[in-house]
Amino acid sequence: MTSRKKAVDFEQKLNQLESLVNDMEQGSLTLENSLKAFEEGIKITRECQQALKEAELRVDMLTRDSDSPTEFVPEKD
């Protein structure tokens, strides 16, 4: 069930990022709000990159030739 929650969180993060980009592209934000949106976008991008990295490691682990599967435990920053 946790992996399903993580997948939903990833999709939600991508939607948030898309919304931020749309707001910034409209050009109606103040400089201060643009900077806040940019900062939030960077944070979301890093979270998405980390989720993708963990997914890639998990796929790699699952597709390796081995007799018994091992559970994936993501690294904490």
Side-chain angles (χ1 to χ4, degrees):
M1 182 176 263
T2 348
S3 62
R4 177 71 182 142
K5 183 180 183 317
K6 284 184 180 180
V8 171
D9 288 347
F10 182 79
E11 293 298 323
Q12 287 175 346
K13 293 292 182 183
L14 284 180
N15 288 335
Q16 288 176 349
L17 187 57
E18 186 175 294
S19 177
L20 284 171
V21 168
N22 288 335
D23 290 346
M24 291 176 71
E25 285 179 340
Q26 288 179 359
S28 59
L29 297 176
T30 64
L31 177 59
E32 185 64 29
N33 287 339
S34 291
L35 287 171
K36 286 179 184 178
F38 181 76
E39 209 172 333
E40 183 65 17
I42 294 296
K43 178 184 171 204
I44 292 170
T45 299
R46 288 181 179 149
E47 291 170 351
C48 289
Q49 287 172 336
Q50 182 63 34
L52 288 172
K53 181 180 175 184
E54 289 174 8
E56 183 179 358
L57 289 172
R58 186 168 184 187
V59 167
D60 183 51
M61 185 180 293
L62 292 170
T63 57
R64 274 191 221 144
D65 292 332
S66 70
D67 293 336
S68 60
T70 53
E71 182 179 348
F72 173 73
V73 180
E75 294 179 7
K76 301 287 182 193
D77 288 335

